[in-house]
């Protein structure tokens, strides 16, 4: 017999690979089942920057925020944002090596290092370096601190690497005792690893010298240390300890194991659980309290394994073991520490911090993956046999739910599974067409389809749905239409190929000889008898259709669940407003009086009798909140649902478990950061809000931008949706899962910021956070500033008017005085001269009396001039009416004296119009000068005077002159013009003249 070695080698390799894959699958499922009976691991969500850092210490403060130490410094984590502290931060934390941290009850974070101790005041957000009391230790300013502890009274203690115990008083270290002193240098290292006051008045220390030490505390007095330990412990450090209220404690002594220490009797007994008698002896043991009477114990020891969790019960004095499975990406990580921080179990796995959450028993999850998403596409459970699943990660697999065995059956993407007969399944795939699968033989056979008649297009190989049409036929939905397939003859017939040829088929169901077809554009109805197709529901994809009694329930996109009668009429709708988790429904299952809806945002169980809806999401430990299209199956009261990351199994009949009232989770929610941006100061961050009693936020004037970060570290944070508003009367503004609100150029005022978190089903999570928000106005935005501006404007206007009134009164007073003086003094003198000269001229006197007549004429002319001057400055004549009268008087006198011919036209109302003294005086003088020049240089014909009194005052004087004598025209428009131009400028007017064709015209416009 001839053997081909290469073929044999290939067969052996394939068999070996199949065996390894099967073993991995079996172990994977086993871990999943074990995990459900113990704890789930939740990564707390640190950013990728921590992937290459080792987390050595962690602490949870009273505001619920997490602090941790890495090889790169100290950090605070609020579930959203991570803040780093080092020697360059604000405040500066300058320790090169941090050995312990402690958050006390007064909102201080104590940071111990090999170079001393720092108190970080979280309220004031500043750091104070703690010094050694100089009076007791002259010259010493720094100590190598190994551990920190807080007493019942809030007193802080520090233990050093050389065995000294200090208490902190007024930011100074005061020595309490030196535990190594009685041993006179016997131990090279006497470090104090833990300090705690588990019982009032008893301070307990776990040390490197292999002793438990008790110091009794009475006020400020400390007793001498009491030492407890077994002889074999000497020189071996007691690394960890937990005290139970009963007086017993659990010790971890490396190289020796775990011991139960009775603090009352002073006895120590070895803890040796069955199956792990050397627990804690080799390797490292980690334990943390869980509940009132139990302690959880892990170890990294290889022959025991971190997959084994031990639970020690102090009351029963028993130790039990559970199997724990880790997500695949944690399998190779070692435990660095394990602690209970405020009823929160935290574990460090190299560069990860994970929370251990007790697993609930509502759901069983399978095929989940924390790194590579495993989307489940199809499910079938054989009665009494294996579970068959089509997924994108594992392809087509079968699972024995009792043993957890998982076997890879094929490499195809199986979209739908239809049970055909006792031991045969019909599979539709994405890209490979149809297959027979014989369960007993585990044999997969492709169905190569042929057209039932000539002229048909080749069938689509991307197939979606399978629905039994008859004993020898099946409806097959594809990406491009619907086929009626006979799997025995391997033939197919397309249905309404002219309409559905480009339509993806999502679901099908028969109803009274008609076929209802769910498509991306709605619900289509095909009448077999008439071969007609029309849409009963349009503009909304129909993902699934199931028969519920005499009704049909449709899962849609955007419209929730539509309930139709057999005639296709919509009877009812169930959507998000009625309590459904989401309005996009991918799958429906009916079992008894319940209908299960798998949506885009969780799962809803609807009680058809009471109309009650119960919702579930990732917060209820589902592997994902989004379910897949038609990835549903139920066998009796057991329901299987496919999510985008794993498979969910539960029993609808277990109402006591599934349908209990689900109360909203108490999710912590607090303002954790305020960021402001102001001109001059730049961007500033404020982180002390979680620790302040006053929860109000004050935004100083001049702040252009500010943002409010909020959070609260919780296992449920990633599944929450946040909303806020600034007024209880306004609508909520959605933030999604973003934990920050940004404000730009917010108007000044008093606001009430309200924050709310919602569970995926719309229930409010915890209490609503209300934060008073005050945006201070800049000084120019205050009411006082506006009032001062109005007052200043009013005072300015009042001052201007008062000043003008004062000037006018002063001017009037002066003008009246001048007019009175001129009239009384000069006028009386000139009048007396006139009468004297006139009397001389009529008396007999030797001579011709010519000189006396000249005196009379001169005096008369002076009297007239004085009269004009008095008129021009007297404020009592500051009206246009007085100006017009004066002008008319002057014209009348000229006509009497010179026999001048003129026409005086006045336009506009002048009876009540005021005019200033400057305009009145200068306009009248220009009028006199212009009229005198017209008489002097004119040809004796009529002189035209026009005075228009509108918005502006316009004076126009027109006369004719002899055209042969150009000199006269030049003189009239030349010499007198300079004086008139100056007067026009004084009153802000414009003066112009023209001389054309023997006509001279002077125009004055005063605005």
């Amino acid at each position: 017999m001839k053997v081909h070695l290469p073929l044999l080698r290939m067969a052996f390799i394939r068999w070996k690979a199949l065996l390894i894959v099967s073993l991995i699958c079996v172990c994977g499922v086993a871990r999943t089942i074990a995990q459900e009976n113990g704890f789930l691991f939740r990564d707390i969500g640190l950013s990728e920057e921590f992937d290459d850092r080792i987390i050595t210490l962690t602490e949870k403060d009273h505001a619920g925020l997490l602090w941790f130490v890495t090889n790169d410094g100290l950090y605070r984590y609020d579930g959203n944002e991570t803040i780093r502290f080092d020697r360059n931060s604000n405040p500066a934390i300058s320790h090169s090596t941090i050995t312990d941290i402690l958050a006390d009850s007064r909102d201080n974070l104590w940071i111990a290092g090999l170079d001393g101790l720092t108190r970080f005041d979280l309220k004031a957000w500043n750091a104070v370096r703690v010094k050694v009391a100089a009076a007791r230790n002259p010259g010493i300013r720094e100590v190598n601190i190994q551990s920190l502890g807080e007493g019942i009274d809030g007193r802080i203690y520090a233990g050093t690497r050389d065995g000294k115990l200090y208490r902190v008083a007024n930011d100074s270290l005061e020595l309490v005792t030196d535990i190594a002193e009685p041993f006179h240098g016997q131990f090279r290292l006497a470090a104090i690893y833990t300090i705690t006051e588990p019982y009032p008045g008893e301070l307990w220390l776990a040390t490197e010298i292999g002793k438990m030490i008790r110091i009794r505390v009475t006020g400020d007095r400390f007793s001498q240390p009491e030492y407890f330990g077994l002889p074999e412990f000497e020189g071996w450090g007691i690394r960890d300890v937990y005290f139970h209220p009963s007086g017993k404690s659990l010790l971890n002594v490396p190289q020796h194991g775990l011991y139960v220490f009775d603090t009352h009797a002073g006895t120590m007994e070895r803890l040796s659980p069955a199956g792990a008698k050397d627990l804690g002896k080799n390797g490292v043991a980690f334990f943390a309290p869980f509940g009132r009477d139990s302690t959880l114990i892990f170890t990294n020891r290889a022959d025991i394994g971190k997959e084994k969790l031990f639970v020690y019960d102090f009351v029963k004095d028993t130790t039990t073991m559970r199997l724990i499975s880790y997500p695949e990406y944690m399998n190779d990580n070692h435990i660095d520490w394990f602690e209970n921080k405020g009823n929160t179990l935290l574990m460090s796995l190299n560069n990860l911090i994970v929370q251990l959450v007790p697993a609930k028993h509502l759901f069983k999850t399978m095929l989940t993956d924390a790194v590579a998403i495993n989307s489940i596409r199809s499910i079938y459970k054989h009665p009494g046999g294996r579970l068959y699943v089509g997924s994108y990660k594992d392809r087509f697999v079968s699972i024995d739910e009792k043993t957890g065995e998982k076997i890879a059956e094929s490499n195809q993407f199986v979209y739908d599974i239809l049970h055909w007969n006792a031991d045969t399944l019909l599979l539709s795939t994405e890209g490979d067409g149809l297959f027979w699968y014989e369960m007993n033989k585990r044999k997969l056979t492709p169905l190569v389809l042929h057209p039932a008649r000539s002229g048909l297009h080749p069938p689509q190989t991307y197939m979606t749905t399978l629905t039994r049409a008859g004993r020898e036929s099946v409806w097959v939905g594809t990406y491009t239409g619907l086929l009626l397939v006979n799997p025995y003859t391997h033939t197919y017939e397309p249905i309404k190929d002219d309409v559905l040829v480009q339509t993806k088929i999502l679901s099908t169901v028969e109803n009274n000889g008609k076929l209802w077809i769910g498509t991306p554009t709605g619900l289509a109805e095909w009448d077999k008898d008439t071969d007609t197709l029309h849409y009963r529901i349009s503009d909304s994809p129909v993902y699934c259709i199931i028969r519920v009694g005499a009704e049909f329930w449709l899962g849609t996109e955007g419209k929730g669940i539509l309930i139709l009668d057999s005639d296709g009429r919509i009877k009812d709708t169930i959507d998000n407003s009625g309590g459904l988790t989401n309005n996009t429904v991918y799958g429906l299952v009916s079992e008894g009086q319940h209908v299960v809806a798998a949506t885009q945002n969780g799962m809803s169980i609807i009680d058809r009798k009471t109309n009650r809806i119960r919702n579930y999401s990732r917060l209820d430990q589902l592997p994902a909140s989004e379910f897949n299209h038609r990835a549903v199956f139920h066998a009796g009261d057991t329901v299987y649902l496919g999510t985008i990351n794993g498979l969910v199994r539960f029993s609808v009949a277990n109402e006591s478990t599934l349908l209990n009232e689900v109360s909203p989770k108490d999710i912590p929610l607090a303002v954790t950061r305020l960021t402001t941006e102001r001109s001059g100061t730049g961007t500033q961050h404020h982180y002390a809000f979680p620790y302040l009693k006053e929860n109000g936020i004050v935004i100083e004037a001049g702040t252009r931008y500010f943002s409010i970060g909020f959070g609260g570290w919780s296992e449920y944070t990633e599944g929450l949706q946040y909303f806020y508003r600034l007024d209880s009367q306004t609508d909520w503004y959605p933030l999604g899962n973003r934990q920050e609100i940004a404000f730009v150029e917010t108007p000044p005022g008093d606001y009430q910021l309200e924050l709310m978190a919602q569970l995926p089903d719309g229930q409010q999570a915890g209490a609503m956070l209300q934060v008073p928000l005050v945006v201070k106005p800049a000084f120019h935005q205050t009411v006082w500033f506006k009032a001062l501006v109005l007052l200043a404007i009013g005072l300015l206007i009042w001052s201007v008017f008062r000043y003008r009134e004062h000037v006018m009164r002063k001017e009037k007073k002066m003008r009246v005085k001048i007019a009175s003086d001129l009239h009384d003094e000069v006028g009386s003198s000139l009048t007396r001269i006139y009468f004297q000269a006139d009397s001389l001229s009529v008396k007999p006197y030797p001579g011709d009396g010519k000189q006396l007549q000249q005196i009379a004429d001169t005096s008369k002319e002076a009297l007239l001039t004085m009269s004009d001057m008095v008129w021009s400055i007297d404020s009592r004549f500051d009206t246009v009416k007085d100006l017009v009268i004066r002008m008319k008087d002057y014209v009348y006198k000229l006509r009497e004296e010179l026999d001048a011919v003129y026409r005086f036209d006045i336009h506009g109302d002048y009876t009540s119009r005021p005019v200033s003294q400057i305009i009145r005086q200068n306009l009248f003088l220009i009028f006199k000068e212009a009229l005198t020049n017209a008489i002097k240089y004119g040809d004796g014909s009529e002189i035209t005077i026009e005075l228009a009194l509108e918005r502006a005052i316009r004076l126009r004087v027109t006369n004719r002159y002899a055209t042969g004598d150009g000199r006269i025209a030049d003189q009239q428009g030349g010499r007198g013009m300079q004086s008139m131009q100056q007067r026009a400028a004084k009153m802000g007017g414009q003066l112009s003249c023209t001389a054309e064709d023997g006509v001279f015209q002077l125009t004055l416009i005063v605005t």
Side-chain angles (χ1 to χ4, degrees), residues 470-488:
R471 186 171 176 273
E472 297 181 352
S473 60
V474 59
W475 302 108
V476 179
T478 73
Y479 275 45
T480 56
L482 179 65
L483 306 176
L484 180 61
V485 174
N486 186 325
Y488 296 111

Side-chain angles (χ1 to χ4, degrees), residues 5 15 74 184 248 255 317 404 445 472 532 566 614 621 629 639 728 786 794 798 854 917 1007:
L5 291 178
W15 174 83
L74 173 69
H184 306 292
K248 293 183 178 181
Q255 303 301 318
D317 192 23
T445 306
E472 297 181 352
T532 57
S566 58
R614 295 292 176 265
Q621 299 182 352
H629 162 231
V639 175
S728 60
K786 295 175 182 177
W798 180 81
Q854 288 178 347
Q917 181 270 336
T1007 56

Side-chain angles (χ1 to χ4, degrees), residues 106 135 142 168 212 311 340 351 387 404 407 441 569 668 678 684 696 747 754 855 892 941 974:
R106 296 183 176 91
E142 302 288 358
V168 179
M212 290 296 300
V311 183
N340 189 327
N351 57 348
L387 175 68
I407 299 176
K441 299 179 181 179
R569 293 185 293 265
R678 299 177 61 193
Q684 294 184 328
E754 295 183 348
I855 293 172
Y892 180 77
S941 58

Side-chain angles (χ1 to χ4, degrees), residues 490-517:
H490 294 196
T491 58
Y492 70 91
E493 176 74 30
I495 304 302
K496 294 301 291 182
D497 197 31
D498 56 334
V499 179
L500 300 175
V501 66
Q502 296 299 328
T503 302
K504 182 178 180 180
I505 306 302
L506 303 176
S507 56
T508 55
V509 66
E510 291 196 24
N511 175 29
N512 296 329
K514 299 177 181 178
L515 186 67
W516 283 4
I517 308 168

Side-chain angles (χ1 to χ4, degrees), residues 760-916:
D761 62 359
Q763 294 185 70
Q764 182 175 328
M768 179 173 59
L769 178 64
Q770 295 181 319
V771 182
L773 173 63
V774 177
V775 181
K776 287 187 176 181
F779 181 67
H780 68 275
Q781 295 175 313
T782 62
V783 175
W784 287 108
F785 176 79
K786 295 175 182 177
L788 286 175
V789 169
L790 292 176
L791 181 61
I793 293 173
L795 286 173
L796 179 62
I797 294 173
W798 180 81
S799 300
V800 170
F801 276 104
R802 290 288 295 174
Y803 175 75
R804 291 186 62 186
E805 186 178 357
H806 171 71
V807 170
M808 291 175 66
R809 280 202 307 268
K810 186 176 180 181
E811 182 183 343
K812 287 181 180 180
K813 230 172 137 183
M814 181 186 67
R815 290 163 61 190
V816 170
K817 185 176 182 302
I818 293 173
S820 299
D821 291 345
L822 284 173
H823 186 274
D824 294 342
E825 300 297 332
V826 182
S828 61
S829 300
L830 293 175
T831 302
R832 191 166 53 252
I833 292 172
Y834 168 73
F835 281 110
Q836 289 175 354
D838 188 60
S839 63
L840 288 176
S841 66
V842 297
K843 291 181 181 181
Y845 182 79
D848 57 6
K850 183 177 179 181
Q851 292 181 345
L852 295 175
Q853 185 62 43
Q854 288 178 347
I855 293 172
D857 292 341
T858 302
S859 299
K860 183 178 180 182
E861 184 177 350
L863 186 61
L864 291 172
T865 302
M866 182 200 67
S867 177
D868 288 343
M869 291 178 63
V870 170
W871 174 85
S872 65
I873 64 176
D874 194 337
S875 62
R876 291 170 292 183
F877 300 109
D878 284 350
T879 65
V880 174
K881 180 179 179 181
D882 289 301
L883 174 62
V884 171
I885 292 173
R886 192 71 176 176
M887 295 171 72
K888 286 183 177 181
D889 288 343
Y890 182 74
V891 172
Y892 180 77
K893 290 178 180 179
L894 285 179
R895 188 184 66 180
E896 293 296 325
E897 295 174 2
L898 303 177
D899 195 21
V901 181
Y902 69 92
R903 188 176 82 245
F904 197 168
D905 297 328
I906 301 174
H907 307 285
D909 182 20
Y910 59 88
T911 56
S912 59
R913 183 172 178 174
V915 69
S916 67

Side-chain angles (χ1 to χ4, degrees), residues 143-176:
V143 291
N144 296 332
I145 297 178
Q146 181 67 44
S147 59
L148 296 168
E150 182 179 12
I152 294 175
D153 59 358
R155 187 179 298 171
I156 301 300
Y157 298 92
T160 68
R161 304 192 78 184
D162 58 356
K164 293 181 175 61
L165 176 67
Y166 292 90
R167 68 174 180 177
V168 179
N170 299 321
D171 289 333
S172 180
L173 290 175
E174 296 182 354
L175 183 64
V176 174

Side-chain angles (χ1 to χ4, degrees), residues 590-764:
S590 175
E591 174 58 31
Q593 69 185 53
H594 302 119
V595 174
V596 180
T599 78
Q600 192 177 28
N601 194 31
M603 181 185 75
S604 296
I605 299 181
I606 306 162
D607 189 319
R608 293 194 294 133
K609 291 184 178 180
T610 63
N611 293 324
R612 288 175 24 175
I613 300 177
R614 295 292 176 265
N615 296 321
Y616 302 90
S617 66
R618 291 195 67 180
L619 305 186
D620 302 290
Q621 299 182 352
L622 294 179
S625 290
E626 183 175 348
F627 290 81
N628 277 328
H629 162 231
R630 293 186 78 254
V632 298
F633 186 83
H634 76 106
D637 60 8
T638 301
V639 175
Y640 298 83
L641 299 175
T643 76
I644 62 171
N645 187 26
L647 181 67
V648 178
R649 186 189 76 184
F650 61 94
S651 175
V652 178
N654 191 1
E655 296 183 29
S656 61
T657 302
L658 280 177
L659 297 179
N660 284 340
E661 288 287 344
V662 179
S663 60
K665 309 298 187 300
D666 186 15
I667 306 298
L669 194 60
V671 173
T672 57
R673 173 185 51 79
L674 172 66
T675 300
T676 60
E677 182 183 307
R678 299 177 61 193
S679 57
T681 60
T683 302
Q684 294 184 328
H685 303 286
H686 313 271
Y687 296 102
F689 283 97
Y691 316 104
L692 302 177
K693 292 182 179 179
E694 303 80 13
N695 64 345
I697 298 176
V698 178
I699 305 300
E700 297 297 331
T703 302
R704 186 193 68 85
Y705 162 89
F706 67 94
S707 66
I708 298 173
F710 59 92
W713 180 71
S714 166
E715 61 180 286
Y716 302 109
T717 301
E718 66 179 44
L720 299 178
Q721 297 290 308
Y722 297 97
F723 302 82
Y724 86 94
R725 61 185 179 185
L726 291 177
D727 185 350
S728 60
Q729 304 301 318
T730 59
D731 294 333
W732 289 98
Y733 183 83
L735 294 168
N737 58 4
R738 182 166 51 93
Q739 294 176 261
E740 182 179 23
I741 314 172
F743 299 90
V744 180
E745 303 289 350
T746 303
D750 295 344
Y751 302 93
Q752 183 74 8
L753 175 63
E754 295 183 348
L755 284 167
M756 178 181 64
Q758 280 189 357
L759 299 169
D761 62 359
Q763 294 185 70
Q764 182 175 328

Side-chain angles (χ1 to χ4, degrees), residues 871 883 886-887 920-928:
W871 174 85
L883 174 62
R886 192 71 176 176
M887 295 171 72
R920 181 166 61 83
Q921 178 185 15
N922 288 283
L923 191 147
F924 180 68
L925 293 176
I926 290 174
F927 168 75
K928 286 178 61 177

